[in-house]
PDB file of all heavy atoms in Angstrom:
ATOM      1  N   GLN M  47      10.439  21.059  -0.666  1.00  0.00           N
ATOM      2  CA  GLN M  47       9.365  20.445   0.107  1.00  0.00           C
ATOM      3  C   GLN M  47       9.566  18.941   0.251  1.00  0.00           C
ATOM      4  O   GLN M  47       9.180  18.341   1.256  1.00  0.00           O
ATOM      5  CB  GLN M  47       8.014  20.694  -0.568  1.00  0.00           C
ATOM      6  CG  GLN M  47       7.563  22.152  -0.563  1.00  0.00           C
ATOM      7  CD  GLN M  47       6.226  22.283  -1.257  1.00  0.00           C
ATOM      8  OE1 GLN M  47       5.316  21.513  -0.988  1.00  0.00           O
ATOM      9  NE2 GLN M  47       6.119  23.258  -2.140  1.00  0.00           N
ATOM     10  N   ILE M  48      10.182  18.347  -0.788  1.00  0.00           N
ATOM     11  CA  ILE M  48      10.362  16.900  -0.779  1.00  0.00           C
ATOM     12  C   ILE M  48      11.230  16.461   0.397  1.00  0.00           C
ATOM     13  O   ILE M  48      11.113  15.352   0.911  1.00  0.00           O
ATOM     14  CB  ILE M  48      10.997  16.441  -2.112  1.00  0.00           C
ATOM     15  CG1 ILE M  48      10.035  16.760  -3.259  1.00  0.00           C
ATOM     16  CG2 ILE M  48      11.296  14.959  -2.108  1.00  0.00           C
ATOM     17  CD1 ILE M  48      10.648  16.556  -4.622  1.00  0.00           C
ATOM     18  N   MET M  49      12.122  17.361   0.832  1.00  0.00           N
ATOM     19  CA  MET M  49      13.018  17.023   1.931  1.00  0.00           C
ATOM     20  C   MET M  49      12.240  16.664   3.198  1.00  0.00           C
ATOM     21  O   MET M  49      12.756  15.983   4.077  1.00  0.00           O
ATOM     22  CB  MET M  49      13.966  18.193   2.210  1.00  0.00           C
ATOM     23  CG  MET M  49      14.903  18.517   1.053  1.00  0.00           C
ATOM     24  SD  MET M  49      16.012  17.158   0.651  1.00  0.00           S
ATOM     25  CE  MET M  49      17.031  17.146   2.122  1.00  0.00           C
ATOM     26  N   ASP M  50      11.000  17.113   3.293  1.00  0.00           N
ATOM     27  CA  ASP M  50      10.190  16.830   4.475  1.00  0.00           C
ATOM     28  C   ASP M  50       9.478  15.488   4.357  1.00  0.00           C
ATOM     29  O   ASP M  50       8.753  15.084   5.262  1.00  0.00           O
ATOM     30  CB  ASP M  50       9.147  17.940   4.680  1.00  0.00           C
ATOM     31  CG  ASP M  50       9.818  19.277   4.970  1.00  0.00           C
ATOM     32  OD1 ASP M  50      10.908  19.272   5.579  1.00  0.00           O
ATOM     33  OD2 ASP M  50       9.240  20.313   4.582  1.00  0.00           O
ATOM     34  N   HIS M  51       9.651  14.794   3.209  1.00  0.00           N
ATOM     35  CA  HIS M  51       8.972  13.523   2.984  1.00  0.00           C
ATOM     36  C   HIS M  51      10.000  12.416   2.823  1.00  0.00           C
ATOM     37  O   HIS M  51      11.049  12.623   2.218  1.00  0.00           O
ATOM     38  CB  HIS M  51       8.098  13.598   1.725  1.00  0.00           C
ATOM     39  CG  HIS M  51       7.005  14.601   1.835  1.00  0.00           C
ATOM     40  ND1 HIS M  51       5.791  14.328   2.402  1.00  0.00           N
ATOM     41  CD2 HIS M  51       6.953  15.917   1.480  1.00  0.00           C
ATOM     42  CE1 HIS M  51       5.023  15.409   2.379  1.00  0.00           C
ATOM     43  NE2 HIS M  51       5.716  16.386   1.820  1.00  0.00           N
ATOM     44  N   PRO M  52       9.750  11.233   3.312  1.00  0.00           N
ATOM     45  CA  PRO M  52      10.712  10.139   3.143  1.00  0.00           C
ATOM     46  C   PRO M  52      10.832   9.755   1.679  1.00  0.00           C
ATOM     47  O   PRO M  52       9.863   9.776   0.931  1.00  0.00           O
ATOM     48  CB  PRO M  52      10.094   8.998   3.964  1.00  0.00           C
ATOM     49  CG  PRO M  52       8.623   9.302   4.014  1.00  0.00           C
ATOM     50  CD  PRO M  52       8.529  10.802   4.041  1.00  0.00           C
ATOM     51  N   ARG M  53      12.037   9.394   1.282  1.00  0.00           N
ATOM     52  CA  ARG M  53      12.281   8.987  -0.098  1.00  0.00           C
ATOM     53  C   ARG M  53      11.786   7.564  -0.312  1.00  0.00           C
ATOM     54  O   ARG M  53      12.078   6.674   0.477  1.00  0.00           O
ATOM     55  CB  ARG M  53      13.782   9.060  -0.375  1.00  0.00           C
ATOM     56  CG  ARG M  53      14.201   8.586  -1.748  1.00  0.00           C
ATOM     57  CD  ARG M  53      15.686   8.837  -1.895  1.00  0.00           C
ATOM     58  NE  ARG M  53      16.211   8.152  -3.038  1.00  0.00           N
ATOM     59  CZ  ARG M  53      17.482   8.154  -3.364  1.00  0.00           C
ATOM     60  NH1 ARG M  53      18.339   8.806  -2.610  1.00  0.00           N
ATOM     61  NH2 ARG M  53      17.902   7.521  -4.419  1.00  0.00           N
ATOM     62  N   THR M  54      11.032   7.341  -1.369  1.00  0.00           N
ATOM     63  CA  THR M  54      10.500   6.022  -1.652  1.00  0.00           C
ATOM     64  C   THR M  54      11.430   5.282  -2.604  1.00  0.00           C
ATOM     65  O   THR M  54      12.177   5.877  -3.362  1.00  0.00           O
ATOM     66  CB  THR M  54       9.103   6.118  -2.295  1.00  0.00           C
ATOM     67  OG1 THR M  54       9.189   6.915  -3.479  1.00  0.00           O
ATOM     68  CG2 THR M  54       8.125   6.754  -1.336  1.00  0.00           C
ATOM     69  N   GLU M  55      11.391   3.980  -2.563  1.00  0.00           N
ATOM     70  CA  GLU M  55      12.251   3.152  -3.400  1.00  0.00           C
ATOM     71  C   GLU M  55      11.888   3.329  -4.868  1.00  0.00           C
ATOM     72  O   GLU M  55      10.716   3.281  -5.229  1.00  0.00           O
ATOM     73  CB  GLU M  55      12.088   1.675  -2.999  1.00  0.00           C
ATOM     74  CG  GLU M  55      13.033   0.723  -3.721  1.00  0.00           C
ATOM     75  CD  GLU M  55      14.476   0.928  -3.300  1.00  0.00           C
ATOM     76  OE1 GLU M  55      14.712   1.460  -2.197  1.00  0.00           O
ATOM     77  OE2 GLU M  55      15.363   0.540  -4.078  1.00  0.00           O
ATOM     78  N   VAL M  56      12.891   3.510  -5.707  1.00  0.00           N
ATOM     79  CA  VAL M  56      12.654   3.653  -7.144  1.00  0.00           C
ATOM     80  C   VAL M  56      12.562   2.268  -7.766  1.00  0.00           C
ATOM     81  O   VAL M  56      13.501   1.479  -7.682  1.00  0.00           O
ATOM     82  CB  VAL M  56      13.793   4.454  -7.810  1.00  0.00           C
ATOM     83  CG1 VAL M  56      13.592   4.478  -9.325  1.00  0.00           C
ATOM     84  CG2 VAL M  56      13.831   5.869  -7.269  1.00  0.00           C
ATOM     85  N   THR M  57      11.432   1.945  -8.317  1.00  0.00           N
ATOM     86  CA  THR M  57      11.259   0.642  -8.949  1.00  0.00           C
ATOM     87  C   THR M  57      11.097   0.764 -10.458  1.00  0.00           C
ATOM     88  O   THR M  57      11.254  -0.213 -11.167  1.00  0.00           O
ATOM     89  CB  THR M  57      10.031  -0.083  -8.371  1.00  0.00           C
ATOM     90  OG1 THR M  57       8.874   0.760  -8.555  1.00  0.00           O
ATOM     91  CG2 THR M  57      10.219  -0.354  -6.885  1.00  0.00           C
ATOM     92  N   ARG M  58      10.777   1.945 -10.938  1.00  0.00           N
ATOM     93  CA  ARG M  58      10.580   2.134 -12.377  1.00  0.00           C
ATOM     94  C   ARG M  58      11.899   2.577 -13.012  1.00  0.00           C
ATOM     95  O   ARG M  58      12.520   3.524 -12.551  1.00  0.00           O
ATOM     96  CB  ARG M  58       9.487   3.170 -12.631  1.00  0.00           C
ATOM     97  CG  ARG M  58       8.122   2.737 -12.123  1.00  0.00           C
ATOM     98  CD  ARG M  58       7.065   3.774 -12.462  1.00  0.00           C
ATOM     99  NE  ARG M  58       7.346   5.052 -11.820  1.00  0.00           N
ATOM    100  CZ  ARG M  58       6.647   6.160 -12.043  1.00  0.00           C
ATOM    101  NH1 ARG M  58       5.639   6.130 -12.898  1.00  0.00           N
ATOM    102  NH2 ARG M  58       6.940   7.275 -11.431  1.00  0.00           N
ATOM    103  N   PRO M  59      12.332   1.921 -14.084  1.00  0.00           N
ATOM    104  CA  PRO M  59      13.623   2.263 -14.670  1.00  0.00           C
ATOM    105  C   PRO M  59      13.564   3.545 -15.490  1.00  0.00           C
ATOM    106  O   PRO M  59      12.508   3.941 -15.988  1.00  0.00           O
ATOM    107  CB  PRO M  59      13.910   1.066 -15.585  1.00  0.00           C
ATOM    108  CG  PRO M  59      12.543   0.607 -16.009  1.00  0.00           C
ATOM    109  CD  PRO M  59      11.676   0.807 -14.786  1.00  0.00           C
ATOM    110  N   ASN M  60      14.710   4.190 -15.613  1.00  0.00           N
ATOM    111  CA  ASN M  60      14.865   5.189 -16.661  1.00  0.00           C
ATOM    112  C   ASN M  60      14.961   4.443 -17.984  1.00  0.00           C
ATOM    113  O   ASN M  60      15.474   3.325 -18.043  1.00  0.00           O
ATOM    114  CB  ASN M  60      16.140   6.004 -16.455  1.00  0.00           C
ATOM    115  CG  ASN M  60      16.200   6.668 -15.103  1.00  0.00           C
ATOM    116  OD1 ASN M  60      15.246   7.300 -14.675  1.00  0.00           O
ATOM    117  ND2 ASN M  60      17.324   6.508 -14.407  1.00  0.00           N
ATOM    118  N   ILE M  61      14.492   5.070 -19.045  1.00  0.00           N
ATOM    119  CA  ILE M  61      14.546   4.461 -20.378  1.00  0.00           C
ATOM    120  C   ILE M  61      15.228   5.425 -21.336  1.00  0.00           C
ATOM    121  O   ILE M  61      14.900   6.611 -21.379  1.00  0.00           O
ATOM    122  CB  ILE M  61      13.136   4.145 -20.919  1.00  0.00           C
ATOM    123  CG1 ILE M  61      12.411   3.135 -20.019  1.00  0.00           C
ATOM    124  CG2 ILE M  61      13.221   3.635 -22.349  1.00  0.00           C
ATOM    125  CD1 ILE M  61      12.912   1.716 -20.103  1.00  0.00           C
ATOM    126  N   ILE M  62      16.178   4.896 -22.104  1.00  0.00           N
ATOM    127  CA  ILE M  62      16.787   5.672 -23.186  1.00  0.00           C
ATOM    128  C   ILE M  62      16.651   4.894 -24.488  1.00  0.00           C
ATOM    129  O   ILE M  62      17.087   3.743 -24.572  1.00  0.00           O
ATOM    130  CB  ILE M  62      18.272   5.965 -22.914  1.00  0.00           C
ATOM    131  CG1 ILE M  62      18.443   6.779 -21.628  1.00  0.00           C
ATOM    132  CG2 ILE M  62      18.888   6.717 -24.092  1.00  0.00           C
ATOM    133  CD1 ILE M  62      19.891   7.049 -21.263  1.00  0.00           C
ATOM    134  N   TRP M  63      16.028   5.514 -25.466  1.00  0.00           N
ATOM    135  CA  TRP M  63      16.049   4.986 -26.835  1.00  0.00           C
ATOM    136  C   TRP M  63      17.241   5.614 -27.559  1.00  0.00           C
ATOM    137  O   TRP M  63      17.413   6.844 -27.534  1.00  0.00           O
ATOM    138  CB  TRP M  63      14.798   5.400 -27.600  1.00  0.00           C
ATOM    139  CG  TRP M  63      13.550   4.635 -27.317  1.00  0.00           C
ATOM    140  CD1 TRP M  63      13.373   3.578 -26.482  1.00  0.00           C
ATOM    141  CD2 TRP M  63      12.249   4.891 -27.895  1.00  0.00           C
ATOM    142  NE1 TRP M  63      12.070   3.152 -26.495  1.00  0.00           N
ATOM    143  CE2 TRP M  63      11.361   3.943 -27.364  1.00  0.00           C
ATOM    144  CE3 TRP M  63      11.780   5.823 -28.807  1.00  0.00           C
ATOM    145  CZ2 TRP M  63      10.012   3.905 -27.713  1.00  0.00           C
ATOM    146  CZ3 TRP M  63      10.430   5.798 -29.159  1.00  0.00           C
ATOM    147  CH2 TRP M  63       9.553   4.838 -28.626  1.00  0.00           C
ATOM    148  N   ILE M  64      18.035   4.795 -28.198  1.00  0.00           N
ATOM    149  CA  ILE M  64      19.086   5.285 -29.090  1.00  0.00           C
ATOM    150  C   ILE M  64      18.872   4.615 -30.435  1.00  0.00           C
ATOM    151  O   ILE M  64      18.910   3.386 -30.526  1.00  0.00           O
ATOM    152  CB  ILE M  64      20.493   4.960 -28.554  1.00  0.00           C
ATOM    153  CG1 ILE M  64      20.712   5.592 -27.176  1.00  0.00           C
ATOM    154  CG2 ILE M  64      21.564   5.425 -29.541  1.00  0.00           C
ATOM    155  CD1 ILE M  64      22.054   5.261 -26.540  1.00  0.00           C
ATOM    156  N   PHE M  65      18.619   5.434 -31.467  1.00  0.00           N
ATOM    157  CA  PHE M  65      18.457   4.808 -32.778  1.00  0.00           C
ATOM    158  C   PHE M  65      19.013   5.677 -33.898  1.00  0.00           C
ATOM    159  O   PHE M  65      18.925   6.898 -33.865  1.00  0.00           O
ATOM    160  CB  PHE M  65      17.005   4.406 -33.046  1.00  0.00           C
ATOM    161  CG  PHE M  65      15.995   5.504 -33.233  1.00  0.00           C
ATOM    162  CD1 PHE M  65      15.521   5.822 -34.496  1.00  0.00           C
ATOM    163  CD2 PHE M  65      15.472   6.184 -32.141  1.00  0.00           C
ATOM    164  CE1 PHE M  65      14.552   6.805 -34.670  1.00  0.00           C
ATOM    165  CE2 PHE M  65      14.507   7.161 -32.295  1.00  0.00           C
ATOM    166  CZ  PHE M  65      14.049   7.484 -33.574  1.00  0.00           C
ATOM    167  N   GLY M  66      19.625   4.979 -34.831  1.00  0.00           N
ATOM    168  CA  GLY M  66      20.129   5.621 -36.032  1.00  0.00           C
ATOM    169  C   GLY M  66      19.146   5.430 -37.176  1.00  0.00           C
ATOM    170  O   GLY M  66      18.071   4.850 -37.022  1.00  0.00           O
ATOM    171  N   ASP M  67      19.549   5.899 -38.338  1.00  0.00           N
ATOM    172  CA  ASP M  67      18.697   5.861 -39.526  1.00  0.00           C
ATOM    173  C   ASP M  67      19.396   5.006 -40.589  1.00  0.00           C
ATOM    174  O   ASP M  67      20.559   5.235 -40.913  1.00  0.00           O
ATOM    175  CB  ASP M  67      18.513   7.298 -40.032  1.00  0.00           C
ATOM    176  CG  ASP M  67      17.404   7.435 -41.065  1.00  0.00           C
ATOM    177  OD1 ASP M  67      17.162   6.458 -41.799  1.00  0.00           O
ATOM    178  OD2 ASP M  67      16.794   8.508 -41.137  1.00  0.00           O
ATOM    179  N   GLN M  68      18.699   3.995 -41.072  1.00  0.00           N
ATOM    180  CA  GLN M  68      19.196   3.179 -42.182  1.00  0.00           C
ATOM    181  C   GLN M  68      20.335   2.257 -41.731  1.00  0.00           C
ATOM    182  O   GLN M  68      21.310   2.055 -42.442  1.00  0.00           O
ATOM    183  CB  GLN M  68      19.651   4.086 -43.336  1.00  0.00           C
ATOM    184  CG  GLN M  68      19.409   3.515 -44.729  1.00  0.00           C
ATOM    185  CD  GLN M  68      19.436   4.584 -45.804  1.00  0.00           C
ATOM    186  OE1 GLN M  68      18.533   5.408 -45.888  1.00  0.00           O
ATOM    187  NE2 GLN M  68      20.465   4.578 -46.633  1.00  0.00           N
ATOM    188  N   HIS M  69      20.187   1.679 -40.555  1.00  0.00           N
ATOM    189  CA  HIS M  69      21.190   0.781 -39.980  1.00  0.00           C
ATOM    190  C   HIS M  69      20.681  -0.659 -40.073  1.00  0.00           C
ATOM    191  O   HIS M  69      19.806  -1.058 -39.307  1.00  0.00           O
ATOM    192  CB  HIS M  69      21.438   1.165 -38.530  1.00  0.00           C
ATOM    193  CG  HIS M  69      22.537   0.409 -37.856  1.00  0.00           C
ATOM    194  ND1 HIS M  69      23.068   0.808 -36.653  1.00  0.00           N
ATOM    195  CD2 HIS M  69      23.224  -0.716 -38.201  1.00  0.00           C
ATOM    196  CE1 HIS M  69      24.023  -0.024 -36.296  1.00  0.00           C
ATOM    197  NE2 HIS M  69      24.126  -0.969 -37.214  1.00  0.00           N
ATOM    198  N   PRO M  70      21.214  -1.469 -40.983  1.00  0.00           N
ATOM    199  CA  PRO M  70      20.711  -2.845 -41.131  1.00  0.00           C
ATOM    200  C   PRO M  70      21.100  -3.737 -39.962  1.00  0.00           C
ATOM    201  O   PRO M  70      22.112  -3.510 -39.290  1.00  0.00           O
ATOM    202  CB  PRO M  70      21.363  -3.326 -42.434  1.00  0.00           C
ATOM    203  CG  PRO M  70      22.544  -2.443 -42.636  1.00  0.00           C
ATOM    204  CD  PRO M  70      22.234  -1.136 -41.982  1.00  0.00           C
ATOM    205  N   TRP M  71      20.314  -4.759 -39.732  1.00  0.00           N
ATOM    206  CA  TRP M  71      20.490  -5.685 -38.611  1.00  0.00           C
ATOM    207  C   TRP M  71      21.884  -6.284 -38.573  1.00  0.00           C
ATOM    208  O   TRP M  71      22.489  -6.413 -37.501  1.00  0.00           O
ATOM    209  CB  TRP M  71      19.459  -6.814 -38.723  1.00  0.00           C
ATOM    210  CG  TRP M  71      19.651  -7.905 -37.712  1.00  0.00           C
ATOM    211  CD1 TRP M  71      19.193  -7.915 -36.432  1.00  0.00           C
ATOM    212  CD2 TRP M  71      20.364  -9.130 -37.889  1.00  0.00           C
ATOM    213  NE1 TRP M  71      19.570  -9.075 -35.791  1.00  0.00           N
ATOM    214  CE2 TRP M  71      20.293  -9.836 -36.670  1.00  0.00           C
ATOM    215  CE3 TRP M  71      21.046  -9.711 -38.961  1.00  0.00           C
ATOM    216  CZ2 TRP M  71      20.884 -11.095 -36.490  1.00  0.00           C
ATOM    217  CZ3 TRP M  71      21.652 -10.951 -38.786  1.00  0.00           C
ATOM    218  CH2 TRP M  71      21.567 -11.637 -37.564  1.00  0.00           C
TER     219      TRP M  71
END
Side-chain angles (χ1 to χ4, degrees):
Q47 293 180 47
I48 297 171
M49 296 298 292
D50 296 328
H51 297 274
R53 176 175 167 183
T54 57
E55 185 68 23
V56 175
T57 57
R58 296 183 298 174
N60 304 312
I61 298 287
I62 299 177
W63 282 358
I64 301 177
F65 68 104
D67 193 330
Q68 214 161 290
H69 185 167
W71 173 84

